[in-house]
Amino acid sequence: MKIIVMKFGGTSIGTGENIRNVANIVRNSSKKGDKVVVVVSALAGVTNQLIHEAEELTKGKEGRIQEFVKELTEKHLQTIDIAIENKKLKEETKHSAKKIIEELEKILIGICYVGELTLKTKDQVLSFGERLAALIVSATLRDYNLESQYFTGKEAGIVTDSKFGEANPLMNFTTHQVIERIKPLLKKNVVPVITGFIVANQDGVLTTLGRGGSDYTATILGVALDVDEVWIWTDVDGIMTSDPKIILDAKTLTGLSYGEAAEMAIFGAKAMHPRALEPVIKKHIPVRIRNVFNPKNHGTLISEGAKVESKEVVKAIALITDVSMINIRGAGMVGAPGSYAKIFRILGKNNINVMMVSTAVSEANISIIIRNNQLERAMSTLEIALLGRDLANKITSEDDVCVIAAMGANMKGSLGVASRIFSAVAKKKINIHMIAQGSSELNISFVVKERDGPIAVSAIHEEFNLNK
Ligand code: ASP
Ligand code: MG
């Protein structure tokens, strides 16, 4: 018997049929005697719709609420229609879904009248996607003759700080409460279905764990309940050596260390919420990424031991697009303590996230990578703050670049990896604009022109035989 937390993402439960597929997966595990805790995201696309609607409503367009509520209701009722066969259960679930959406409608009207959307209120709005999903998935499990009960993350006992929009779990208290509330259900063979992403602070006010936060909920619960494994069910076979849209013969990786997986999550190998691994690393709980549409495949196992077995140096290559490079030059930065700090303070104050930094020992220039959509704001704030004073005399930007990150735990301490990467790229006559290697030595990242990105990625993929 194993205890497994299974998280199902938006596409895994995007339609009624898919929810039945999920119920089938859970039932199969239960039949084997495993105890399953289910964590769900909102149905595919719903979170984005909720954000968009809430933002539009700050402009006071009350008239659109009705239309939105109608669409959202239809979407969920149609899903229920297909997911649940038992008539009585179907009607009950539809009734509950309507009740939940009525509550949302009131909040939307409130936003419209107040004309602003605080992070706190936004979390409230976003919570409805997961609440509806948990209701439907739990009812579908009952339709499959499993005993099931659904909870919000708050009801399950997860407690966070009050950082709305990106809250942090308070693990000790959370563990205590989750054991008290969820363990007894497992003993009675009840499958708890818990909303991912939405949780609450100590005062019981709703918070969220950041976009994609259902993964984080899954690992928090996994640690609290000290489970055997956490499974993140998604719509691909696992974490791959590269994006299969660029590299046709990219392979699924069977094993990754926590460090490698965390590095890849950060670099946008969309497999996981970047912070989701934090709780499990300390407790050595394995995490498995699996495909709901191909459950025969065992997926990618992220665990403590994975890196020791592997001989590969570079294991995966990510291509990060939609980024821009800013170059700041000025002799004023040389030997002037605090000059870099000033630049980062300006960016930080304006909520501009720096993804990558590189400077030379000459100190006369610094290159920064940020998201494309923040470029305009970053440039104007930097220009206003820096130009015409002593620090910098030239600030330029390029918005047609991309970042390539080669990753693998065994890169640490292996000689010649960088030279193999850069020779492979040079052979394709591609110019490198910026390089950075973090002190973790788990990855080497560099910047090339966007049009060269895919060619550079395939050159490295080939050099390290990742398709074999
Ligand atoms: N529904 C939330 C989002 O789209 C959380 C998640 O999917 O994990 O960000
Ligand atoms: Mg998601």
Side-chain angles (χ1 to χ4, degrees):
M1 196 260 317
K2 273 191 193 159
I3 306 181
I4 306 166
V5 173
M6 295 191 186
K7 177 256 171 176
F8 296 95
T11 40
S12 324
I13 54 169
T15 63
E17 287 92 355
N18 291 356
I19 295 180
R20 290 191 74 76
N21 176 45
V22 161
N24 195 36
I25 289 175
V26 174
R27 186 173 60 182
N28 287 341
S29 284
S30 292
K31 271 192 193 152
K32 274 198 284 176
D34 291 338
K35 308 259 185 208
V36 182
V37 177
V38 173
V39 174
V40 292
S41 305
L43 268 51
V46 170
T47 306
N48 285 337
Q49 286 162 6
L50 288 167
I51 293 183
H52 179 73
E53 189 60 23
E55 282 170 355
E56 285 299 308
L57 285 176
T58 58
K59 300 170 198 157
K61 304 175 190 164
E62 195 186 350
R64 45 182 300 142
I65 296 180
Q66 229 187 342
E67 182 68 14
F68 175 74
V69 164
K70 193 170 146 232
E71 270 172 34
L72 193 75
T73 309
E74 265 166 26
K75 180 181 193 129
H76 287 88
L77 294 191
Q78 275 167 11
T79 307
I80 294 169
D81 250 330
I82 296 170
I84 303 169
E85 277 176 359
N86 180 300
K87 283 230 170 65
K88 185 161 168 270
L89 190 55
K90 193 193 290 241
E91 289 317 312
E92 273 172 24
T93 311
K94 282 187 179 176
H95 179 75
S96 308
K98 283 187 215 155
K99 278 259 168 289
I100 293 176
I101 295 177
E102 270 168 30
E103 206 183 309
L104 167 67
E105 190 173 358
K106 287 183 197 144
I107 296 176
L108 293 178
I109 294 171
I111 294 171
C112 190
Y113 279 92
V114 181
E116 67 172 10
L117 184 63
T118 59
L119 286 174
K120 186 172 168 183
T121 309
K122 194 169 174 183
D123 279 354
Q124 288 261 356
V125 174
L126 293 191
S127 73
F128 287 88
E130 269 72 10
R131 285 173 60 186
L132 289 161
L135 164 79
I136 300 173
V137 171
S138 180
T140 309
L141 291 177
R142 281 187 278 142
D143 199 41
Y144 272 69
N145 290 323
L146 292 165
E147 270 203 66
S148 174
Q149 222 173 308
Y150 76 93
F151 302 88
T152 61
K154 169 182 162 179
E155 290 161 345
I158 302 176
V159 183
T160 67
D161 61 13
S162 299
K163 196 164 174 241
F164 296 104
E166 196 102 28
N168 303 291
L170 307 175
M171 279 314 287
N172 292 340
F173 191 31
T174 295
T175 302
H176 172 76
Q177 297 207 103
V178 169
I179 289 177
E180 231 167 46
R181 297 180 190 180
I182 304 298
K183 262 257 161 82
L185 296 172
L186 298 180
K187 286 215 181 89
K188 288 191 279 182
N189 280 325
V190 177
V191 182
V193 176
I194 300 167
T195 59
F197 178 55
I198 59 170
V199 277
N201 71 9
Q202 273 162 297
D203 305 323
V205 180
L206 220 137
T207 55
T208 62
L209 297 168
R211 291 307 306 272
S214 301
D215 299 336
Y216 205 2
T217 303
T219 55
I220 291 167
L221 290 169
V223 166
L225 293 166
D226 194 21
V227 300
D228 296 285
E229 282 191 17
V230 174
W231 292 358
I232 309 283
W233 288 96
T234 169
D235 54 358
V236 290
D237 279 342
I239 299 180
M240 304 193 75
T241 54
S242 199
D243 182 349
K245 282 187 219 109
I246 305 169
I247 308 292
L248 295 177
D249 55 358
K251 289 265 168 321
T252 306
L253 292 156
T254 51
L256 282 174
S257 69
Y258 291 118
E260 288 171 332
E263 201 89 18
M264 293 181 61
I266 291 164
F267 274 95
K270 286 186 205 97
M272 210 184 310
H273 183 287
R275 298 190 52 200
L277 289 169
E278 280 171 21
V280 287
I281 291 174
K282 286 184 216 136
K283 291 282 166 106
H284 306 290
I285 294 175
V287 175
R288 206 180 269 282
I289 315 282
R290 304 191 60 174
N291 188 350
V292 268
F293 305 116
N294 184 17
K296 288 208 181 75
N297 193 302
H298 291 286
T300 302
L301 180 67
I302 302 166
S303 64
E304 186 65 11
K307 77 168 180 238
V308 191
E309 296 156 26
S310 97
K311 291 187 186 61
E312 314 100 324
V313 264
V314 171
K315 276 178 121 169
I317 308 147
L319 176 67
I320 300 118
T321 52
D322 295 324
V323 296
S324 291
M325 178 165 69
I326 298 178
N327 295 307
I328 303 166
R329 291 192 197 90
M333 293 192 287
V334 182
S339 48
Y340 292 162
K342 184 165 182 200
I343 294 169
F344 291 122
R345 204 162 43 236
I346 295 163
L347 294 171
K349 254 198 190 152
N350 285 283
N351 252 325
I352 291 156
N353 185 39
V354 176
M355 301 171 68
M356 181 174 161
V357 184
S358 166
T359 65
V361 76
S362 77
E363 300 176 30
N365 67 67
I366 175 164
S367 303
I368 293 165
I369 295 288
I370 60 168
R371 283 279 166 213
N372 261 345
N373 58 9
Q374 302 197 308
L375 179 63
E376 231 172 277
R377 197 150 43 92
M379 283 301 279
S380 66
T381 28
L382 286 172
E383 279 164 0
I384 290 167
L386 300 177
L387 293 182
R389 298 169 207 217
D390 333 326
L391 205 64
N393 51 30
K394 198 164 177 205
I395 306 175
T396 55
S397 68
E398 290 172 52
D399 61 3
D400 57 344
V401 295
C402 61
V403 177
I404 293 171
M407 280 161 288
N410 288 348
M411 283 166 64
K412 193 175 176 119
S414 309
L415 294 176
V417 183
S419 98
R420 276 175 74 188
I421 292 173
F422 295 130
S423 319
V425 175
K427 269 190 214 139
K428 302 284 175 195
K429 304 214 163 28
I430 293 171
N431 190 25
I432 293 173
H433 294 249
M434 171 178 170
I435 300 175
Q437 177 174 25
S439 60
S440 70
E441 287 186 53
L442 289 180
N443 94 68
I444 292 178
S445 311
F446 60 95
V447 174
V448 299
K449 282 286 182 198
E450 199 153 25
R451 57 162 192 276
D452 294 331
I455 309 166
V457 171
S458 45
I460 306 167
H461 203 263
E462 220 165 273
E463 169 66 28
F464 290 92
N465 292 319
L466 296 189
N467 53 344
K468 298 281 151 56

